[in-house]
Amino acid sequence: MNNHEKILRKNIGKKIKLARTKAEYTQEELAEKLSLSPRYISQLERGIAFGSASTIINVCKALNINSDFLFQDLINNRTPILDNITDDKFLQDYLKLNDYNKNIVAILANELIKIQNKKENNKNA
């Protein structure tokens, strides 16, 4: 397995974990739903194991996601987006927010970027 494939597997695993968190399943609950072991679910999420086509299909069905969500980086031949995200806890917490609170987070992030850019512009002036 080459480095690119390892990165893709880890990215797919992160996406499975995000979808599982959004669906509010524990690893144990998802494992039971799929007749798999919790250890195997953990290995999938960490990119250590990679399921067969039927396993991936069943994971997608159980989590109510489209396989394109998992494989879009591979299909588009791009560097995985989630590989650059370091704080998985933040993402998991964000996915638990309702739409109103997600909007507040987006507004706050936008305002913080404006403040940051203003400070950087003042520093460079």
Side-chain angles (χ1 to χ4, degrees):
M1 176 179 9
N2 64 35
N3 194 42
H4 183 67
E5 188 174 326
K6 286 179 186 178
I7 291 169
L8 286 170
R9 281 185 177 200
K10 283 188 175 198
N11 189 54
I12 290 168
K14 286 182 180 185
K15 289 179 179 183
I16 290 171
K17 183 176 181 177
L18 284 172
R20 177 183 58 77
T21 302
K22 186 174 183 182
E24 299 182 349
Y25 288 132
T26 64
Q27 288 181 342
E28 292 77 14
E29 290 169 333
L30 181 60
E32 185 176 320
K33 190 171 182 82
L34 297 171
S35 299
L36 299 170
S37 73
R39 182 171 186 232
Y40 185 71
I41 298 297
S42 174
Q43 290 174 344
L44 282 174
E45 291 181 356
R46 290 181 288 141
I48 295 170
F50 190 76
S52 66
S54 60
T55 299
I56 297 298
I57 289 168
N58 290 335
V59 167
C60 289
K61 286 179 183 178
L63 297 175
N64 198 27
I65 58 173
N66 189 308
S67 61
D68 288 353
F69 171 70
L70 296 180
F71 296 106
Q72 79 184 77
D73 297 323
L74 179 62
I75 293 166
N76 296 331
N77 198 23
R78 293 188 315 210
T79 301
I81 296 167
L82 292 179
D83 207 45
N84 298 325
I85 298 173
T86 56
D87 194 350
D88 289 338
K89 172 97 173 79
F90 174 80
L91 285 174
Q92 291 172 15
D93 290 343
Y94 176 81
L95 289 171
K96 293 176 186 175
L97 296 174
N98 62 31
D99 288 340
Y100 177 79
N101 287 328
K102 285 179 183 177
N103 190 39
I104 290 173
V105 169
I107 291 168
L108 287 171
N110 189 25
E111 291 302 315
L112 289 170
I113 290 169
K114 287 179 188 177
I115 292 168
Q116 177 178 299
N117 289 340
K118 189 175 181 179
K119 284 183 180 181
E120 287 175 3
N121 288 339
N122 288 339
K123 193 187 317 185
N124 293 332

